[in-house]
């Protein structure tokens, strides 16, 4: 898997779409916001998201972008400071590992 490291800070209600097979450090120190998983993943697609700020104070919402997460039609709320999350598409749903 080719890994791409992206560091970004978003605010003011912006939403960013994540790329497949990439790793992100997401800093929510300034505000809470949303990132969207890839809309058309293939089996084995991986997205890695690391807290670069304070998910405990300003949550990060991971939008499911039309697919399910853990079989549920709900977005994923990340709210634990210092977390590292691997999200893998198994061909049917996104799995959080």
């Amino acid at each position: 898997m080719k890994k791409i490291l992206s560091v970004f800070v978003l605010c003011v209600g912006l939403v960013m779409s994540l790329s497949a097979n990439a790793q992100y450090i997401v800093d929510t120190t300034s505000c809470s916001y949303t990132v969207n998983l890839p809309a058309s993943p293939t089996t084995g697609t991986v997205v890695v998201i690391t807290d670069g700020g304070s998910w405990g104070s300003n949550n990060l919402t991971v939008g499911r972008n039309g697919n399910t997460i853990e079989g549920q039609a709900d977005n994923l709320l990340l709210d634990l400071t210092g977390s590292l999350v691997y999200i893998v598409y198994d061909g049917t749903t996104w799995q959080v590992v």
Side-chain angles (χ1 to χ4, degrees):
M1 173 176 84
K2 179 180 177 185
K3 288 191 177 183
I4 302 168
L5 180 62
S6 297
V7 179
F8 58 90
V9 178
L10 299 174
C11 269
V12 197
L14 295 177
V15 177
M16 179 179 180
S17 293
L18 303 178
S19 297
N21 301 317
Q23 181 174 355
Y24 296 88
I25 299 171
V26 183
D27 184 344
T28 60
T29 300
S30 300
C31 63
S32 299
Y33 53 89
T34 300
V35 294
N36 284 326
L37 292 168
S40 301
T42 57
T43 300
T45 296
V46 177
V47 176
V48 180
I49 308 171
T50 304
D51 179 22
S54 184
W55 292 353
S57 298
N58 294 309
N59 302 314
L60 177 68
T61 300
V62 179
R64 59 190 189 88
N65 209 0
N67 295 293
T68 58
I69 300 174
E70 297 285 344
Q72 302 297 312
D74 294 316
N75 293 330
L76 176 64
L77 182 68
L78 300 177
D79 61 357
L80 294 174
T81 299
S83 296
L84 171 81
V85 180
Y86 283 81
I87 306 172
V88 182
Y89 191 71
D90 69 4
T92 304
T93 190
W94 288 102
Q95 297 288 337
V96 181
V97 294

